[in-house]
Amino acid sequence: MLGQQILSGLATGSLYALTAIAVVVVFRNTRTINLAQGDFAMVGAFLGIIFLKEWGMNYFAMLALVVLCCMALGGFVERVVMRPVAESDWLTLFTTTIGVYYILHGMAGWIWGRDTKAFPVSFEATPVEVFGALISKGHLYNMAIALLIGGVLWTFFTKTKQGIAMRAVTDDPETAYLMGIPVKFIVTLTWVMAGAIAGFIGVLMAPIIYVSPEMMDEILIKGYVAAVFGGLYSFRGAVIGALMIGVAENLAGGYLGSHYKTSVAFVMIVVLLAFRPQGLVGIQERREI
Amino acid sequence: MSSLIVENIKANYGPITALKDTSLVVPEKAIVTLLGANGAGKSTTLKCISGVVKPVSGSITWANKEIGGQSPNSITRKGIAQVPEGRRIFKDLSVTENLEMGGYTRSDRAGIEADLEDIFELFPRLKERHKQLGGSLSGGEQQMLAIGRGLMADPQLLMLDEPSLGLAPIVVSQIFETLQKLVEERELAILLVEQNMKMALRVSSFGYVMRLGQIMISGSSEELEDNKEVYESYLGTA
């Protein structure tokens, strides 16, 4: 029973981790706390329904197209909405993303309706045994995809020129610009990347939580709490935080009662901020925001 | 013929005039020094050449072509690299990654690999620490890395902004020796901004003294060295 709770906690946690990574990617390079991150995934989930039901695409073609659309959405938001205010202070940037959040919520409700829709992919409940614990195939699949995306991102950031350049821009944008790194292009790239991750999250989450304009609100908050575990800076800290939240809320749900589940993440963040405001992992010096 | 000719450039930082009317020449394979007190406009001059600051007027010609006002990306591609003041190492990037970023504008894989090896040969300390994060290096090592990173752009002109700042005298002389070696081996021209005039004039062949955004004196390094009273008054040192 305990093993099972932990395992399905890790499965949910891995999706929080993807959200947290997207949050950190954008924050590191633009100082923007992007509240619309979840809505990129929400739009992706609605598009997924269209691609499957109306266009008759198969699952993987749908996934690829959703990811591409969300990348375009991320890039569009950066170029059209965020770039004009890019030099502003963090509060202006944050408030601008609240605007994007409401616009996307409103447009989704207007176009697709406010009712909850089922995602036409059945979430396979058939349990599989892993290390003696039972876990549904759907959860296992989500974990595998999350791990794969994590691996791709790690490779991108450590092995490719654009990925290293993205870290250089995080570190010191002025010097990066001096070296000939196109800083503005890199910033667009971070939003495109956040969009891509959101596309995956939307498609992976949709069968579990159903599709509605509000579907991502709670997940985004947990993703944020997880990101704060890494000081909004460390990917490792964000992933560890996300997995901890996933496991802790599952254990609370299992042993204390399901109504305790939602509050766990908030209790954790309060405790964390009280004792380690710089985050859990890896930042020696607090960077100015 | 890759020489740099800066003619009558003016530059502002917002409402403040940083450069009034600056002209200088860096011939091929020469070390030229730009001296002056804090705020004289030395760094701004370098930034105008590297494209970080856009001059309001005047011209900058490199290899007989106008480059004034272009982006750092295209200026780096044309063979001018700048080692910024305070080294500005990417702290969270490894030594090798820092060097790779210096060569960001290049796509000749073989050339990049060869230059990386050359730099590791020039600075064996960097090779020993190639996996370490830039932020974990000592000041002298960081300066070596900053110079190496500049060289990774495969420049014909390397501009250095106060490379001796905050370093122990022994390290400073090592770095200046390396610069001389580079000029001989790589057929490089160097434009050096310094407050450490003694060292700077020793390695350079020609010098300019700036004050309040203008070049006040220029001459061969020997002339400037003999002309102590004059340049010392401009430098504001006793």
Side-chain angles (χ1 to χ4, degrees):
Chain A
M1 180 68 182
L2 177 68
Q4 212 148 310
Q5 296 280 7
I6 292 176
L7 204 57
S8 51
L10 288 176
T12 335
S14 62
L15 295 183
Y16 297 159
L18 287 184
T19 309
I21 288 173
V23 161
V24 171
V25 162
V26 168
F27 183 80
R28 276 164 60 107
N29 276 19
T30 64
R31 300 166 300 123
T32 305
I33 296 172
N34 177 21
L35 206 66
Q37 178 62 38
D39 287 9
F40 294 170
M42 176 270 292
V43 170
F46 274 111
L47 290 176
I49 294 179
I50 293 173
F51 297 158
L52 287 170
K53 269 193 172 166
E54 290 173 25
W55 296 17
M57 292 179 118
N58 73 33
Y59 179 82
F60 289 103
M62 175 275 294
L63 178 61
L65 194 57
V66 165
V67 169
L68 280 176
C69 289
C70 288
M71 287 165 83
L73 179 62
F76 177 82
V77 167
E78 193 278 325
R79 291 299 297 266
V80 175
V81 184
M82 300 312 295
R83 187 171 292 187
V85 294
E87 300 301 317
S88 316
D89 61 314
W90 73 270
L91 190 60
T92 307
L93 295 171
F94 175 62
T95 313
T96 309
T97 73
I98 298 180
V100 177
Y101 170 93
Y102 277 110
I103 289 170
L104 290 178
H105 261 63
M107 280 177 58
W110 178 48
I111 299 172
W112 294 304
R114 301 221 157 262
D115 302 332
T116 303
K117 286 186 169 55
F119 199 69
V121 170
S122 61
F123 187 64
E124 280 202 58
T126 344
V128 192
E129 206 182 303
V130 182
F131 304 121
L134 291 174
I135 183 169
S136 78
K137 270 188 188 166
H139 268 143
L140 209 58
Y141 171 73
N142 282 356
M143 272 166 96
I145 297 284
L147 208 64
L148 190 72
I149 297 171
V152 169
L153 288 175
W154 185 83
T155 310
F156 173 75
F157 277 116
T158 55
K159 305 282 179 230
T160 71
K161 186 160 140 181
Q162 299 305 345
I164 297 169
M166 198 178 269
R167 284 163 51 217
V169 170
T170 303
D171 211 320
D172 186 344
E174 273 176 57
T175 306
Y177 182 62
L178 176 68
M179 309 274 107
I181 296 173
V183 175
K184 284 184 178 158
F185 166 75
I186 297 280
V187 165
T188 306
L189 203 61
T190 61
W191 283 81
V192 168
M193 185 188 264
I197 298 170
F200 280 103
I201 297 170
V203 171
L204 295 181
M205 273 291 176
I208 312 175
I209 58 171
Y210 300 106
V211 181
S212 74
E214 288 80 32
M215 65 181 277
M216 289 301 295
D217 290 2
E218 204 182 306
I219 294 149
L220 179 68
I221 290 173
K222 301 212 174 115
Y224 258 105
V225 172
V228 171
F229 270 79
L232 285 174
Y233 190 84
S234 154
F235 291 112
R236 204 168 11 130
V239 170
I240 292 171
L243 296 177
M244 278 169 60
I245 293 169
V247 171
E249 67 176 18
N250 236 25
L251 290 178
Y255 292 100
L256 300 173
S258 58
H259 46 286
Y260 285 103
K261 209 169 168 174
T262 321
S263 44
V264 168
F266 298 100
V267 173
M268 285 170 77
I269 199 66
V270 169
V271 173
L272 175 80
L273 290 178
F275 292 103
R276 276 189 71 84
Q278 73 275 38
L280 194 66
V281 182
I283 312 151
Q284 298 88 346
E285 48 177 316
R286 186 73 185 154
R287 276 149 214 279
E288 42 115 25
I289 295 170
Chain B
M1 255 294 283
S2 297
S3 57
L4 177 83
I5 302 162
V6 176
E7 282 173 304
N8 311 105
I9 55 167
K10 255 184 83 168
N12 303 329
Y13 279 123
I16 304 155
T17 306
L19 289 183
K20 272 184 207 152
D21 180 22
T22 302
S23 303
L24 60 85
V25 176
V26 184
E28 261 182 293
K29 296 178 232 169
I31 303 186
V32 171
T33 302
L34 192 53
L35 299 164
N38 270 332
K42 308 178 305 277
S43 291
T44 311
T45 306
L46 292 199
K47 283 177 182 168
C48 283
I49 299 168
S50 63
V52 174
V53 172
K54 309 265 175 269
V56 192
S57 61
S59 91
I60 302 173
T61 16
W62 166 247
N64 302 319
K65 288 198 184 79
E66 176 68 35
I67 57 161
Q70 293 183 6
S71 72
N73 182 291
S74 66
I75 287 170
T76 310
R77 283 175 199 278
K78 291 184 173 75
I80 300 180
Q82 185 183 345
V83 179
E85 185 178 358
R87 309 184 264 280
R88 302 292 282 267
I89 293 305
F90 298 117
K91 292 188 188 66
D92 291 341
L93 266 58
S94 74
V95 167
T96 307
E97 287 171 338
N98 263 285
L99 292 171
E100 282 168 359
M101 286 300 103
Y104 180 87
T105 54
R106 295 169 69 182
S107 42
D108 56 322
R109 224 164 244 277
I112 294 172
E113 282 299 314
D115 275 351
L116 203 58
E117 282 312 309
D118 280 357
I119 287 160
F120 281 148
E121 205 173 300
L122 189 67
F123 301 115
R125 283 276 268 291
L126 295 183
K127 185 168 193 175
E128 284 165 31
R129 287 162 201 232
H130 71 283
K131 278 188 176 164
Q132 284 187 25
L133 293 185
S136 73
L137 301 183
S138 73
E141 288 163 352
Q142 286 194 6
Q143 189 60 62
M144 292 172 197
L145 181 53
I147 293 171
R149 189 176 60 178
L151 291 173
M152 281 302 288
D154 192 22
Q156 288 101 59
L157 171 65
L158 185 67
M159 303 191 290
L160 296 106
D161 199 345
E162 309 237 8
S164 73
L165 200 73
L167 298 181
I170 300 176
V171 183
V172 174
S173 21
Q174 278 170 359
I175 286 187
F176 278 85
E177 271 166 37
T178 311
L179 293 182
Q180 281 179 304
K181 203 166 126 191
L182 282 171
V183 172
E184 285 154 24
E185 288 176 5
R186 298 201 105 189
E187 309 211 319
L188 195 68
I190 287 179
L191 177 56
L192 184 65
V193 159
E194 261 302 340
Q195 292 203 41
N196 186 340
M197 50 191 160
K198 242 181 163 178
M199 285 303 273
L201 289 176
R202 196 180 303 160
V203 296
S204 60
S205 52
F206 204 83
Y208 293 88
V209 182
M210 281 191 94
R211 186 171 182 253
L212 299 174
Q214 272 175 307
I215 302 282
M216 302 306 283
I217 310 174
S218 62
S220 73
S221 297
E222 293 84 14
E223 281 167 10
L224 287 180
E225 214 158 15
D226 296 339
N227 204 351
K228 258 190 171 117
E229 311 81 63
V230 187
Y231 72 82
E232 278 183 355
S233 72
Y234 284 117
L235 293 171
T237 51

